[in-house]
Amino acid sequence: MDTEKEKAAATTCSFCGKNKNSVKLLVTATTVAICNECIEFCTQTIKEHEDEESKNSPKIYDPITIKTHLDEHVIGQENAKIVLSVAIANHYKRITSPPKNLEMQKGNVLLIGPTGSGKTLLAKSVARLLDVPFIVADATSLTEAGYVGDDVESMISMLLAEAKGDVALAERGIVFIDEIDKIARKGESANISRDVSGEGVQQALLKLIEGTKCRVQPSGGRKHPSSEMTVVDTRNILFIAGGAFVGLNDIIKRRSKGSSLGFGAQIVSAEDKSFLSEVIPEDLTKFGMIPEFVGRFATTINVDDLTKDQLIKVLTDIKNNFIDQYKYLFELDGIKLSFNKDAIAQIAENCLKLKTGARGLQSEIERVLLPHMFNISKYKEADVKKININQELVDNPKVII
Ligand SMILES: Nc1ncnc2c1ncn2[C@@H]1O[C@H](COP(=O)(O)OP(=O)(O)OP(=O)(O)O)[C@@H](O)[C@H]1O
Ligand SMILES: [Mg+2]
């Protein structure tokens, strides 16, 4: 009897009763079976149910929850994480419970700090967490309307595409404009008619950031006269801008030194000292950002250079860290890769000298592992199962067989 039931189950779907010959696939268990059509139907039903659930209970973002998430991906930058978490939580409050008789200002954020210190990483990590559309645009590719390149509205088309064409959703989104310092005016007194790469783009961005009804291509593509345009109101879109602002430190340093002249108070010994935490809007305009642009970013936060200990943590502690990534690559060839503590410390030390923040870590690891990766077949032939990288192999990378 049992075996008969089993046989029947193995040949027909227990849900719709279709025979295995009339469906693409029949997944069988001991006494039941399910066909691909019923699986698809169930998956769709579950998804609809989940969508409905999340629609009914929009996520509430608490700054501490956001920061905890950022901590998993970004080492250090405590202050930046806190300010960013608050800005995002407030953005959510504003858009989910808009005030009736009150005009609310957006809390656009400007992130400044050295290269490879985690500005873009912060933005990307925020994006992973949020359920509003979020895009990272590169300011270097933006141009004023009429010039070759993407005009600033292209960011809104990207956002709309990210929102799968849902205008209302796009209107609550977040735009991260990376490399914003690259659109600085060239030279403080530059007043050449219109400067394509710099001031003109800043001017074009003003309206968008302030809030305007912007006509964009729903597909996210380039403007085409014949296709229909969608209107997106940018009033509630949160803008976060980030840039390395190379040279800004000197501007602040000069100002703060200048102001203390005659008091003999400020003797700056460390050439590398960062003054970025003391930035005021005037410094940014000296750098080449137009005052109206600076004025639209209520919050300016600086990220710091990573210390050696932080670089070590970047290597070993965060999710998807470089060491785990390379371990995986070696694992694919059946080799267990490991690093001594000294070796890791030396890699961080070397990276510090490159002055490219954590960016240097990957190139350092590549340099150290290159001979081993190149000769992987020889290791396999020699049946090597383990490679341990010690300080000597960091100083002098070479094959160990
Ligand atoms: N604070 C950090 N924590 C963890 N990883 C980091 C951190 N900062 C940088 N990294 C690593 O370095 C890479 C480069 O960092 P990121 O792109 O965020 O730099 P950036 O500050 O945007 O620099 P740039 O001004 O040159 O654009 C990241 O992909 C990440 O792997
Ligand atoms: Mg960046």
Side-chain angles (χ1 to χ4, degrees):
M1 177 69 191
D2 265 2
T3 43
E4 255 174 47
K5 220 163 110 194
E6 276 169 29
K7 259 190 209 157
T11 52
T12 59
C13 174
S14 316
F15 288 80
C16 64
K18 277 188 189 153
N19 187 275
K20 74 170 179 195
N21 297 327
S22 56
V23 293
K24 254 196 202 154
L25 183 77
L26 192 70
V27 181
T28 56
T30 332
T31 55
V32 289
I34 183 166
C35 73
N36 62 303
E37 290 166 19
C38 287
I39 292 175
E40 260 164 46
F41 175 77
C42 293
T43 315
Q44 187 61 26
T45 313
I46 293 171
K47 189 169 178 319
E48 278 167 15
H49 179 73
E50 282 175 354
D51 285 353
E52 198 54 38
E53 257 189 352
S54 68
K55 233 191 234 167
N56 293 339
S57 54
K59 273 194 204 169
I60 302 292
Y61 287 107
D62 161 67
I64 293 180
T65 317
I66 301 175
K67 173 153 182 310
T68 309
H69 168 81
L70 291 178
D71 285 339
E72 285 174 16
H73 300 275
V74 186
I75 299 291
Q77 315 305 8
E78 280 297 296
N79 190 37
K81 284 183 202 161
I82 292 173
V83 180
L84 208 54
S85 305
V86 170
I88 285 158
N90 282 347
H91 176 66
Y92 266 88
K93 280 192 197 160
R94 256 192 310 263
I95 57 174
T96 47
S97 322
K100 293 212 170 56
N101 306 314
L102 191 69
E103 186 74 10
M104 293 278 280
Q105 280 293 326
K106 280 189 284 189
N108 299 322
V109 177
L110 182 61
L111 266 174
I112 58 175
T115 182
S117 55
K119 297 181 296 292
T120 304
L121 182 66
L122 277 168
K124 288 192 176 156
S125 313
V126 168
R128 259 184 235 144
L129 176 77
L130 301 180
D131 66 352
V132 290
F134 182 106
I135 58 134
V136 180
D138 193 330
T140 47
S141 67
L142 298 177
T143 54
E144 277 179 80
Y147 288 89
V148 177
D150 298 329
D151 51 38
V152 293
E153 279 91 12
S154 65
M155 297 191 298
I156 308 301
S157 333
M158 276 162 73
L159 196 64
L160 188 58
E162 193 64 29
K164 302 201 172 59
D166 182 336
V167 177
L169 193 59
E171 288 178 341
R172 306 153 38 141
I174 299 179
V175 173
F176 186 95
I177 317 175
D178 211 354
E179 315 281 348
I180 198 77
D181 50 328
K182 307 297 185 306
I183 56 161
R185 191 161 49 183
K186 310 282 180 293
E188 211 179 321
S189 58
N191 55 0
I192 14 167
S193 47
R194 287 286 257 193
D195 160 9
V196 191
S197 58
E199 186 173 353
V201 183
Q202 290 189 54
Q203 294 280 5
L205 279 171
L206 292 181
K207 270 222 142 121
L208 213 59
I209 295 175
E210 183 96 317
T212 183
K213 293 206 166 60
C214 163
R215 285 156 51 80
V216 297
Q217 189 103 49
S219 60
R222 275 168 182 280
K223 272 188 192 160
H224 192 277
S226 65
S227 54
E228 252 180 60
M229 301 292 247
T230 307
V231 176
V232 178
D233 188 342
T234 67
R235 201 176 25 159
N236 282 326
I237 295 175
L238 182 72
F239 288 86
I240 301 173
F245 289 89
V246 175
L248 180 66
N249 202 40
D250 289 337
I251 295 175
I252 309 169
K253 187 156 94 181
R254 246 178 281 141
R255 170 178 58 76
S256 59
K257 262 185 180 171
S259 63
S260 66
L261 265 186
F263 299 96
Q266 197 119 8
I267 300 163
V268 184
S269 52
E271 262 312 298
D272 288 344
K273 184 175 179 310
S274 170
F275 289 84
L276 293 180
S277 60
E278 297 167 30
V279 68
I280 58 171
E282 194 196 325
D283 300 324
L284 291 165
T285 45
K286 275 222 175 91
F287 183 87
M289 306 312 286
I290 59 174
E292 301 90 317
F293 186 87
V294 177
R296 277 161 177 76
F297 288 86
T299 317
T300 307
I301 9 171
N302 69 295
V303 289
D304 306 311
D305 263 323
L306 295 169
T307 62
K308 184 177 161 186
D309 283 347
Q310 286 174 331
L311 287 174
I312 293 176
K313 284 200 176 125
V314 171
L315 272 179
T316 57
D317 282 16
I318 45 163
K319 274 193 179 166
N320 318 316
N321 64 62
F322 287 136
I323 297 239
D324 284 350
Q325 290 179 30
Y326 284 92
K327 273 186 180 169
Y328 174 74
L329 285 182
F330 278 82
E331 227 170 76
L332 292 178
D333 288 303
I335 294 173
K336 195 171 180 315
L337 177 72
S338 59
F339 288 79
N340 274 2
K341 263 194 157 174
D342 296 352
I344 288 181
Q346 190 60 50
I347 289 174
E349 183 77 44
N350 294 347
C351 175
L352 216 52
K353 289 189 195 125
L354 297 175
K355 291 198 182 296
T356 51
R359 267 181 210 287
L361 288 175
Q362 190 169 12
S363 46
E364 259 301 292
I365 295 199
E366 282 276 340
R367 181 186 68 79
V368 170
L369 295 181
L370 189 67
H372 312 290
M373 295 194 285
F374 182 70
N375 291 294
I376 200 88
S377 55
K378 287 191 186 157
Y379 282 112
K380 278 167 97 174
E381 266 170 36
D383 206 23
V384 172
K385 293 269 181 267
K386 278 184 198 168
I387 300 176
N388 181 48
I389 305 292
N390 53 26
Q391 181 158 3
E392 210 184 302
L393 283 173
V394 173
D395 294 338
N396 181 21
K398 59 173 194 288
V399 186
I400 51 167
I401 44 167

